[in-house]
Amino acid sequence: MERMEEDKSKQKRITFYLLYCVSTAVIGSLQFGYNTGVINAPEQKLRRFFLNVSMERYGEPFSPGANTMVWSVSVAIFSVGGMIGSFSVGAMVNKFGRRKSMLLNNILALLGGGLMGLSTLSGSFEMVIIGRLVIGVFCGLCTGLTPMYVGEISPTALRGAFGTLHQLGVVIGILVAQIFGLEFLLGSEELWPLLLALTAIPAVLQSIMLPFCPESPRYLLIVLNQEEEARKALVRLRGCEDVNDDIQEMKEEGMRMAMEKKVTILELFRSPNYRQPIIIAIILQLSQQLSGINAVFYYSTGIFDTAGITQPIYATIGAGVVNTVFTVVSLFLVERVGRRTLHLIGLAGMAICALLMTISLSLVETNQSLSYLAIVAVFGFVASFEMGPGPIPWFIVAELFSQGPRPAAMAISGFSNWTANFMVGLSFPKLRELCGPYVFIIFMILLILFFIFTFLRVPETKGRTFDDIARGFASSAEKHSHSPVPETVSLPESKEPTPMSPTEKVPMVDLPPEKP
């Protein structure tokens, strides 16, 4: 019993060094959030800049249609870059490792920020578009690299809480972008290039901090077979000399990998062992983007304006504050309540708020007091999102897969997220034009479908080791292959909230020797 309590306290120990490493990685998440939200505030200034450039070059301004096209490309190209970046995560981490990949990725942030910042001096709107594309690739890589690194250095009992920090970084980045985009700060006619170029500062800061962080111990032991280096990294991260349980778990995972052939992206869909978790990973990412959250944030100022709010920009910033607060709430709840439960609560809350938004926005012209219901519905929608669909899809993907298929799985799920993001950004203005306030009914229906899928198919991963989760899916796939009756995906129930040492479950094994 004493041994069990000792194991639990070890698993929950937070060291300053662990916090330093997680915080350093999460700067990438903040970058993703900042670059997602920064383009909204200076829209009119950018449009005028496009007109001025066309005047100087061609002697006449762009037509309204051409100007809107250039603006749309400037916004949408970010998501295209995100797709490219997210799809490249697997190849990059396998070649360079987790830490070096994050360092190299910052070169893209400096390049993209520089292009956008110098666009007015050069009189080139193409530099804005190319800069947004490069920043999109950078952010696409961040959405895979940060959750992977954080998940691999975190103790099992704290993996969910630290995984939520990725989403906290994203929402803080969005909030910072909204505040800095105010007219009297950096959203003015002269300073908007600086607003877009500001992304270079966190990139420099992370590049200074990363060399003091270790490479992922899992990568060191399982991929590079450097046990001594992995042990040193774990001792610093855990704050104690006894890291045998972690090393043992990684060795077992390495042995399982050694017995499997290399996992490609196609293999994720072909193999019964990986097909179920990759489908779950993709659907969870779609539940984040197709929930309507980006539609609410991209067009929140317009929604508040329609609702009759006199200063809609401040209401939008208020929604950003709610976003941040409830991400912090989720951070404390995720290891108590569980991933699956929080995701279900968030989806249900968003569906209810989508219905309330539809009612208030459709009737606000006849009853002005309903504008307050619209504000409450938007805030409730955002709060529910940050309870589950916001943070959970990013880090649960890393939990559903062992070390071998994890990079490919992160690439596929990230690509799914960015593709859905692009689709919503492209289609929402037209949908809003066609459906008016009833557009949120579409999102409500999707949210209900995602709720049903999560309830029936998504397992709870709280307190489980990576290897334990992978074994759960393998046994489920085996049952499916022997039974014609489909079964719900489920992981074996854990007898304790935090798993016991792997040494009490499986005998010690060694990794196969390196080939000369």
Side-chain angles (χ1 to χ4, degrees):
M1 190 70 183
E2 284 178 16
R3 169 68 185 267
M4 194 168 111
E5 291 300 319
E6 189 183 332
D7 286 342
K8 283 184 187 178
S9 65
K10 258 193 234 174
Q11 281 284 320
K12 291 187 178 177
R13 183 180 296 164
I14 301 176
T15 63
F16 174 79
Y17 187 62
L18 177 62
L19 280 177
Y20 171 84
C21 296
V22 170
S23 303
T24 301
V26 167
I27 291 173
S29 311
L30 186 140
Q31 291 271 61
F32 171 39
Y34 182 84
N35 286 293
T36 299
V38 76
I39 199 72
N40 297 330
E43 177 182 350
Q44 296 308 318
K45 284 85 177 175
L46 276 161
R47 284 175 178 269
R48 279 194 290 275
F49 170 64
F50 300 154
L51 289 172
N52 292 338
V53 170
S54 68
M55 245 336 245
E56 287 172 17
R57 281 192 197 171
Y58 314 116
E60 59 179 6
F62 283 133
S63 66
N67 198 27
T68 300
M69 178 59 72
V70 175
W71 163 251
S72 300
V73 169
S74 304
V75 175
I77 203 79
F78 176 71
S79 296
V80 174
M83 291 181 215
I84 297 166
S86 62
F87 208 68
S88 308
V89 168
M92 193 168 183
V93 294
N94 286 334
K95 185 170 179 62
F96 300 109
R98 279 61 167 155
R99 183 183 65 167
K100 195 179 286 184
S101 293
M102 288 190 283
L103 267 170
L104 292 172
N105 193 29
N106 283 326
I107 296 169
L108 294 177
L110 296 173
L111 179 61
L115 283 167
M116 293 186 293
L118 296 171
S119 57
T120 49
L121 288 175
S122 308
S124 169
F125 63 81
E126 293 90 347
M127 286 177 69
V128 175
I129 294 170
I130 297 168
R132 285 289 289 174
L133 175 65
V134 172
I135 285 293
V137 176
F138 163 74
C139 289
L141 285 163
C142 284
T143 57
L145 294 172
T146 302
M148 190 186 297
Y149 182 76
V150 170
E152 290 183 4
I153 66 171
S154 302
T156 301
L158 296 169
R159 207 169 55 224
F162 281 155
T164 307
L165 289 175
H166 168 67
Q167 185 65 14
L168 182 61
V170 173
V171 298
I172 289 174
I174 292 171
L175 182 61
V176 168
Q178 288 172 337
I179 292 169
F180 281 2
L182 291 171
E183 187 77 28
F184 62 87
L185 290 176
L186 298 179
S188 64
E189 200 75 50
E190 298 78 25
L191 294 177
W192 66 260
L194 180 60
L195 179 70
L196 299 183
L198 210 61
T199 189
I201 295 174
V204 171
L205 178 63
Q206 190 184 50
S207 299
I208 293 167
M209 295 172 72
L210 269 173
F212 300 100
C213 299
E215 179 52 273
S216 159
R218 285 182 179 276
Y219 177 77
L220 289 170
L221 180 60
I222 298 174
V223 179
L224 302 182
N225 203 8
Q226 296 178 0
E227 182 177 338
E228 201 51 45
E229 291 301 312
R231 191 178 289 275
K232 283 179 188 173
L234 281 168
V235 166
R236 292 188 72 189
L237 289 165
R238 303 290 184 263
C240 64
E241 293 293 327
D242 182 13
V243 292
N244 289 328
D245 292 350
D246 291 286
I247 293 290
Q248 168 66 14
E249 184 215 325
M250 291 178 200
K251 282 188 173 184
E252 288 162 14
E253 194 176 326
M255 277 299 291
R256 285 172 62 86
M257 270 185 66
M259 290 186 286
E260 298 171 348
K261 61 181 178 179
K262 189 179 176 188
V263 181
T264 62
I265 286 172
L266 284 176
E267 189 66 28
L268 287 174
F269 294 96
R270 287 175 183 159
S271 168
N273 290 352
Y274 303 135
R275 193 181 302 126
Q276 295 176 68
I278 195 62
I279 289 170
I280 289 171
I282 289 169
I283 298 294
L284 286 179
Q285 294 287 2
L286 293 180
S287 76
Q288 184 188 85
Q289 290 298 334
L290 300 183
S291 64
I293 189 65
N294 279 346
V296 168
F297 265 111
Y298 286 162
Y299 305 100
S300 53
T301 304
I303 290 168
F304 288 129
D305 193 37
T306 304
I309 309 302
T310 51
Q311 291 286 346
I313 185 64
Y314 293 106
T316 301
I317 291 172
V321 172
V322 171
N323 212 9
T324 307
V325 169
F326 276 87
T327 306
V328 175
V329 171
S330 173
L331 193 153
F332 289 104
L333 289 178
V334 70
E335 289 298 349
R336 294 174 181 271
V337 179
R339 287 81 155 132
R340 181 176 177 273
T341 306
L342 272 185
H343 197 67
L344 287 168
I345 290 169
L347 290 170
M350 290 176 83
I352 292 166
C353 291
L355 180 62
L356 292 177
M357 265 192 277
T358 303
I359 293 168
S360 57
L361 291 173
S362 59
L363 299 176
V364 72
E365 288 182 11
T366 55
N367 188 346
Q368 196 59 38
S369 61
L370 284 173
S371 62
Y372 298 108
L373 180 61
I375 298 173
V376 171
V378 169
F379 284 7
F381 193 88
V382 168
S384 299
F385 176 77
E386 293 306 342
M387 291 296 285
I392 287 168
W394 289 118
F395 70 83
I396 201 172
V397 177
E399 294 185 326
L400 292 175
F401 295 90
S402 56
Q403 190 77 13
R406 189 177 298 131
M410 294 292 282
I412 285 288
S413 60
F415 183 77
S416 305
N417 188 290
W418 280 96
T419 304
N421 184 342
F422 178 70
M423 285 165 53
V424 171
L426 211 60
S427 61
F428 184 74
K430 194 68 181 171
L431 282 172
R432 189 175 61 167
E433 195 180 293
L434 292 171
C435 307
Y438 299 101
V439 68
F440 289 102
I441 292 289
I442 298 169
F443 294 119
M444 187 187 77
I445 293 166
L446 288 170
L447 286 161
I448 292 168
L449 293 174
F450 290 132
F451 181 94
I452 294 166
F453 177 86
T454 304
F455 184 78
L456 294 177
R457 292 288 177 186
V458 178
E460 182 54 76
T461 58
K462 181 185 75 167
R464 317 236 184 218
T465 64
F466 290 125
D467 200 41
D468 184 28
I469 296 163
R471 280 200 305 269
F473 278 114
S475 63
S476 176
E478 200 174 318
K479 285 178 188 174
H480 274 285
S481 64
H482 288 95
S483 171
V485 182
E487 297 175 23
T488 301
V489 178
S490 60
L491 296 178
E493 284 299 319
S494 176
K495 293 180 181 175
E496 311 87 36
T498 306
M500 294 286 285
S501 160
T503 52
E504 295 175 46
K505 296 178 186 173
V506 184
M508 174 69 86
V509 290
D510 288 316
L511 285 170
E514 283 184 297
K515 292 181 182 176

